[in-house]
Amino acid sequence: MNKKKIWLSLAHMGGEEQRFIQQAFDDNYVVPLGPNVNGFEEDLEKYLDQDIQVVALSSGTAAIHLALIQLGVKAGDEVICQSFTFAASANPIAYLGAKPVFIDSETETWNMSPHFLRQAIEDRLSKTRKTPKAIIPVHLYGMPAKMDEIMAIAKEYNIPVLEDAAEALGARYKEKKCGTFGEFACLSFNGNKMITTSGGGALVCKTEEEAQRTMFFATQARDNAPHYQHSQIGYNYRLSNVCAGIGRGQMLVLDNHVARRREINSLYRELLKNVAGLSFHTNPNKDFKSNYWLTCIVIDSAITGFTREDVRLKMDSENIETRPLWKPMHLQPVFKDAPYYGDTTAEKLFEHGLCLPSGPGLTDEDIERVARVFLELVKG
Ligand SMILES: *Cc1c(COP(=O)(O)O)cnc(C)c1O
């Protein structure tokens, strides 16, 4: 294969990352705390631009885990979670011995359906006589969920919301940044997210007290004593000062990354605008401002004459990486016994949808090459 590989979403360094890492080495702060961790948290707080507190952690999954602990989720409890997502949204529910209840998506944002959310809460109440302990909506592929409706239902039933904003750094709903709506929100800085720390995440908290408690649990739950004393089970979940240095460098280019991913999305739309049977994951109206982390398409094969899988295989043969949309959690073997409320919207998206290469390091020529391969399939 002589054609250059086009990846789905590669990490893209801004240039300043190594300066912050070098500083960590120069100051001998090669440990899981230090000036880069504090600096990275402050950068994120400023960026999210609300009265919130950010605690940097080793992963987005760890952030969800610590949020659920603080929301009092215990073995046997139920937690409501968007079904159309990456497994990391739901796995921490199982870590706690709790049970996920999966909610389908609506067709506009592809995120948690307020209609099925309400139906699920009512049905769980009647079946178990208990309210679920938390609601986890996801801003999938950077598209904000219908937060007004979801927050209103959460308030009505007095259930806290844990926002999964792992893919949504830089996205906004009604001009408010994703990650600032819920009682807690998780961010991810894994390799292919909006920014990377090579691996890492953060928990966005509403109060100083929650932030302190998050740090407490993230550093082995050490009591305030001169010796090592523990009254609760803790975790080793803090982000290292070296990784946080990468994060500080990445924060300098975050706005560029968001702009470039949106540009790539517009370019795909322009290049593929005349294809019948092809639709894009699209902001439903001006209230929604996706960061377009990944450009996603849906193929109506009755019109196109080819399937999502035909596109994926053709791209693969041209050394272009694409990926089917997330397989809904209620269809995953590991969660097969979990309750599900919906009408197969997410299932259809999974069957017919594909993510196109969207990394900020891709050139216009790369995007044009992807579009050309797609158009060759259209021509047949
Ligand atoms: C990446 C991701 C996570 C988890 O983040 P990690 O940092 O990889 O643990 C959670 N939810 C969603 C939707 C994600 O895409």
Side-chain angles (χ1 to χ4, degrees):
M1 182 73 58
N2 47 18
K3 279 181 193 144
K4 185 187 95 178
K5 176 91 178 182
I6 295 182
W7 297 95
L8 187 70
S9 178
L10 275 192
H12 189 247
M13 293 298 115
E16 296 292 307
E17 291 83 1
Q18 295 203 12
R19 180 165 62 82
F20 290 107
I21 295 174
Q22 190 59 46
Q23 196 64 48
F25 278 76
D26 292 348
D27 300 342
N28 204 19
Y29 263 116
V30 186
V31 283
L33 81 173
N36 280 337
V37 175
N38 299 336
F40 185 41
E41 289 172 344
E42 279 165 27
D43 290 347
L44 285 163
E45 284 164 7
K46 241 181 263 155
Y47 182 80
L48 291 174
D49 172 44
Q50 294 281 322
D51 200 10
I52 44 100
Q53 310 265 329
V54 174
V55 180
L57 299 170
S58 53
S59 71
T61 311
I64 295 173
H65 191 187
L66 293 188
L68 292 176
I69 288 171
Q70 292 180 74
L71 294 173
V73 175
K74 301 229 157 57
D77 287 340
E78 291 189 336
V79 173
I80 287 182
C81 184
Q82 182 165 323
S83 183
F84 195 38
T85 187
F86 176 48
S89 307
N91 281 340
I93 301 170
Y95 299 167
L96 293 166
K99 293 183 240 168
V101 173
F102 291 116
I103 309 293
D104 204 355
S105 297
E106 32 81 11
T107 54
E108 289 192 309
T109 71
W110 300 3
N111 291 312
M112 185 178 277
S113 154
H115 168 76
F116 288 116
L117 170 61
R118 177 184 296 280
Q119 193 186 88
I121 298 170
E122 287 291 338
D123 193 54
R124 297 327 292 165
L125 266 170
S126 82
K127 288 202 169 103
T128 70
R129 315 216 157 278
K130 288 205 301 189
T131 31
K133 275 291 182 65
I135 300 170
I136 309 178
V138 187
H139 307 296
L140 210 63
Y141 302 115
M143 176 65 71
K146 293 191 169 175
M147 289 314 289
D148 275 359
E149 289 89 333
I150 291 168
M151 294 305 290
I153 294 169
K155 195 166 166 210
E156 188 183 324
Y157 292 94
N158 199 20
I159 306 172
V161 169
L162 160 55
E163 242 182 304
D164 184 339
E167 302 176 0
L169 192 57
R172 279 172 294 156
Y173 174 70
K174 297 193 169 173
E175 290 313 313
K176 200 164 131 73
K177 292 242 170 69
C178 288
T180 62
F181 291 87
E183 185 64 40
F184 290 101
C186 93
L187 303 175
S188 169
F189 316 118
N190 211 334
N192 63 4
K193 300 292 163 83
M194 289 305 288
I195 60 168
T196 186
T197 56
S198 73
L203 188 62
V204 182
C205 305
K206 281 270 140 78
T207 67
E208 175 65 30
E209 197 191 334
E210 287 168 348
Q212 289 299 333
R213 205 177 315 130
T214 303
M215 276 184 250
F216 170 77
F217 282 117
T219 52
Q220 307 289 19
R222 246 187 99 184
D223 293 340
N224 196 1
H227 51 275
Y228 278 68
Q229 176 161 306
H230 307 271
S231 314
Q232 293 183 77
I233 297 294
Y235 302 85
N236 181 5
Y237 278 173
R238 203 72 163 113
L239 187 67
S240 93
N241 194 54
V242 174
C243 292
I246 307 176
R248 286 179 91 182
Q250 289 271 286
M251 285 306 286
L252 299 173
V253 291
L254 172 54
D255 282 337
N256 296 344
H257 282 195
V258 174
R260 181 61 189 155
R261 292 207 190 238
R262 286 179 174 153
E263 234 169 58
I264 286 171
N265 184 271
S266 307
L267 193 52
Y268 277 126
R269 282 173 204 269
E270 179 56 31
L271 292 165
L272 300 173
K273 69 180 172 206
N274 293 322
V275 179
L278 169 69
S279 55
F280 285 85
H281 193 202
T282 303
N283 291 320
N285 59 52
K286 284 207 286 295
D287 290 340
F288 298 82
K289 295 209 167 74
S290 175
N291 62 19
Y292 288 122
W293 171 54
L294 297 181
T295 289
C296 303
I297 56 171
V298 174
I299 308 286
D300 183 343
S301 47
I303 299 176
T304 58
F306 54 80
T307 64
R308 178 288 301 286
E309 203 47 17
D310 294 331
V311 181
R312 193 185 70 75
L313 291 171
K314 167 99 175 159
M315 294 285 177
D316 189 50
S317 75
E318 295 285 335
N319 219 14
I320 296 168
E321 184 192 22
T322 63
R323 189 164 68 194
L325 299 185
W326 298 122
K327 180 170 183 172
M329 289 306 114
H330 73 278
L331 299 176
Q332 299 286 355
V334 72
F335 292 126
K336 67 181 185 329
D337 298 326
Y340 158 76
Y341 296 84
D343 62 3
T344 72
T345 295
E347 188 169 344
K348 286 183 197 126
L349 288 167
F350 164 61
E351 278 167 19
H352 304 293
L354 194 71
C355 308
L356 299 179
S358 309
L362 295 176
T363 63
D364 286 5
E365 290 68 39
D366 292 332
I367 305 305
E368 282 157 12
R369 196 177 119 204
V370 176
R372 212 160 38 239
V373 171
F374 191 92
L375 291 171
E376 279 167 23
L377 254 182
V378 174
K379 269 190 272 153

